[in-house]
Amino acid sequence: MSESHLPQDWKDANILPIFKSGERTNCGNYRPISLTSIVIKIFEKIVHKKMFDYIERNKLLDPEQFGFRKFRNCEIQLLLYANYIAKQLNLGIPVHSIYLDIQKAFDKVPHSELIYKLKKYFGIDEKLLKWICSFLSGRRQRVKIGDSFSEWAEVTSGVPQGSVLAPLLFLCYVKDMQEKQHKANVSKFADYTKLFNAIYDSNCTLQLQASLDAISEWCKKWKMPLNLNKSAVLKFERVEHAIPAYTLQGEPLRFVKDERDLGIKMDSMLSFKPHIQDIVAKSLKLYGWMVRTLVTRERDVVLKIYKTIIRPNLEYASSVWNPTAAGQIKLIEKVQRKET
C-alpha cells in the first residue's frame, strides 16, 4: 500500500466460461467467471471495508442505488417499486416503466474517468488513488478450458470481475447517472436501471422521455453504452391506453407485456400471475430431476434437498408477489403436495 504497487501475479486472472443458454458455439452465450489471486482478495477486503465504511458514513452514494450495499437488497427495492405502482393503479393512473441495460457494464468502465470521479466526488486521497491505479492497470487474463489455456490478453478497461473491490468501484462510477434528470423516479441495482413515472397526461410521457435522454447523454459522455436489445418499456395499467413512442439514442424502444425485474416477472396488471406460473414450472422440473436422480427416499435426505433447491425458488421475494387468489395459492401448494 505504501508503495502503491501490486505484483503481476496478483493482477492475473483465469477466465472460466460458464454456458448460459442458446448455441454452444456462440461465445456470447457463455458467462465469463474471473478467477483471481486469493492473496489479493484478502488485501482487497481490508481496503473495501475502509472505503465502504467511509463512503456510507458520509452518505456519498446515491439513495437510488440498492446494489452491493448493507441493509439494501433486491427484495427491498422491488417492494418500494411495486408499492408505488400499486398505489397509482388503485387510483386508476397508469405507470410507464423503462428498463435500461448497460452493455457489459463492469468491463466498460474507463480507468482514467473512474480515478477522476473517486477524487472529485468521494475525496479519496492520493496514496489510495495511486494504489487503485496500480490495481486496475497492467492486468492480464486468459481463458481456461479443461487443462488448456489461451494466450494472455491485456485488460485495458473495466473493473476486474471476480475481485472484491469491483462492485464498490462500479457503484462509485455510476453515482451521478441520474443527477441531470429530475422528472422521473429512478431505481438502480448496480448496472440495472429503471425509470418510471405515473402518467397523468401527455406531458408526463414527455417528461419521462426527457429523463431518458438525460441518462442516455450521461452514458455517452462516460462511455457506458446502453444495450438497446435488452432495454424495454412496460406499461402498468388496468385499462389499455394508446401506446406512446419512447426513443433511446434515436431508436424506438420496444413495449413488452412482462419483464423480468431482479428475478421477479412483472406484468402489466401487476398480478404476478406469469411469475407464479414460472416458479411453479421450474420447481416441478426440479422435483422431476430429484425423483429421477435420487435412489433413496429417506425422509431427511429428501427434505434437505427440497429445502435447499426447490423451496428457495418458491420463496424468493415472496413478500413482493404474495398471492391472494385461491387458484394461485393452490398452484404453489401443488409443489409441496407432490413432494410430501
Side-chain angles (χ1 to χ4, degrees):
M1 177 62 79
S2 62
E3 294 177 0
S4 301
H5 173 74
L6 277 81
Q8 185 62 50
D9 58 345
W10 285 15
K11 298 193 282 187
D12 290 344
N14 290 326
I15 303 296
L16 194 65
I18 303 297
F19 180 68
K20 293 188 288 187
S21 61
E23 293 277 342
R24 286 189 175 270
T25 53
N26 185 349
C27 294
N29 292 332
Y30 288 80
R31 179 177 286 107
I33 304 298
S34 183
L35 305 177
T36 56
S37 165
I38 299 297
V39 180
I40 186 58
K41 285 185 178 179
I42 298 169
F43 199 114
E44 283 179 76
K45 282 185 178 181
I46 299 167
V47 177
H48 180 277
K49 185 179 188 306
K50 295 288 184 182
M51 275 186 70
F52 188 82
D53 289 348
Y54 159 74
I55 287 171
E56 287 286 19
R57 186 171 63 251
N58 292 283
K59 299 179 180 179
L60 298 177
L61 287 177
D62 51 307
E64 294 87 358
Q65 180 62 260
F66 283 78
F68 310 115
R69 299 177 69 182
K70 289 179 181 177
F71 313 117
R72 290 167 177 250
N73 55 32
C74 298
E75 193 164 0
I76 292 171
Q77 191 204 85
L78 288 167
L79 276 170
L80 294 170
Y81 179 56
N83 181 57
Y84 175 87
I85 295 166
K87 280 185 176 179
Q88 302 302 325
L89 291 182
N90 286 341
L91 297 172
I93 301 165
V95 175
H96 291 178
S97 187
I98 301 174
Y99 290 85
L100 299 173
D101 182 78
I102 300 175
Q103 194 172 31
K104 305 287 184 184
F106 278 61
D107 297 328
K108 297 282 186 178
V109 176
H111 295 163
S112 57
E113 282 86 344
L114 172 60
I115 297 300
Y116 166 79
K117 287 193 174 189
L118 289 174
K119 186 175 182 179
K120 180 181 178 182
Y121 296 124
F122 298 91
I124 304 298
D125 65 30
E126 288 296 327
K127 184 179 286 188
L128 181 54
L129 275 179
K130 286 180 181 178
W131 185 87
I132 293 173
C133 283
S134 177
F135 173 75
L136 294 171
S137 62
R139 302 191 77 91
R140 303 184 305 173
Q141 63 184 24
R142 61 182 179 178
V143 179
K144 180 181 185 294
I145 299 177
D147 295 327
S148 302
F149 294 89
S150 69
E151 296 295 322
W152 286 109
E154 290 187 10
V155 180
T156 56
S157 68
V159 289
Q161 295 197 47
S163 65
V164 177
L165 271 177
L168 179 58
L169 293 176
F170 183 81
L171 296 189
C172 293
Y173 192 74
V174 298
K175 169 194 182 295
D176 59 332
M177 178 190 280
Q178 70 285 355
E179 278 186 359
K180 290 190 176 180
Q181 75 81 28
H182 304 286
K183 305 294 184 183
N185 295 291
V186 179
S187 195
K188 299 191 294 184
F189 196 94
D191 60 324
Y192 190 71
T193 305
K194 49 184 177 269
L195 288 170
F196 55 98
N197 244 5
I199 305 299
Y200 300 97
D201 52 40
S202 58
N203 287 331
C204 295
T205 59
L206 296 176
Q207 289 174 358
L208 193 55
Q209 179 64 58
S211 297
L212 180 60
D213 292 339
I215 287 183
S216 178
E217 284 302 313
W218 181 93
C219 290
K220 282 183 181 178
K221 179 181 178 180
W222 296 105
K223 302 174 185 178
M224 290 270 99
L226 290 166
N227 191 337
L228 298 178
N229 294 327
K230 290 186 178 179
S231 300
V233 184
L234 177 58
K235 294 192 303 174
F236 296 94
E237 54 189 7
R238 300 293 189 206
V239 179
E240 194 168 338
H241 295 80
I243 299 176
Y246 292 109
T247 59
L248 179 60
Q249 297 174 357
E251 296 290 331
L253 277 174
R254 61 192 175 93
F255 279 78
V256 292
K257 292 184 177 179
D258 52 57
E259 179 73 13
R260 190 163 293 282
D261 186 349
L262 301 178
I264 301 294
K265 186 174 272 191
M266 295 284 190
D267 63 281
S268 58
M269 298 291 288
L270 202 67
S271 68
F272 298 109
K273 185 177 178 181
H275 175 72
I276 291 169
Q277 289 172 339
D278 275 7
I279 61 170
V280 168
K282 184 179 178 181
S283 298
L284 290 174
K285 281 183 181 178
L286 290 170
Y287 164 79
W289 165 84
M290 188 182 73
V291 169
R292 292 190 304 273
T293 307
L294 277 186
V295 176
T296 181
R297 289 295 180 268
E298 288 185 21
R299 179 183 180 277
D300 290 345
V301 176
V302 173
L303 194 60
K304 183 168 283 189
I305 290 178
Y306 173 71
K307 287 181 177 180
T308 306
I309 298 175
I310 299 176
R311 200 169 77 178
N313 177 61
L314 287 170
E315 291 183 344
Y316 170 71
S318 57
S319 61
V320 179
W321 53 266
N322 185 37
T324 53
Q328 293 178 354
I329 294 170
K330 285 181 179 178
L331 198 61
I332 294 167
E333 289 180 348
K334 177 183 177 182
V335 180
Q336 185 156 305
R337 285 199 301 273
K338 283 183 77 71
E339 183 77 19
T340 52

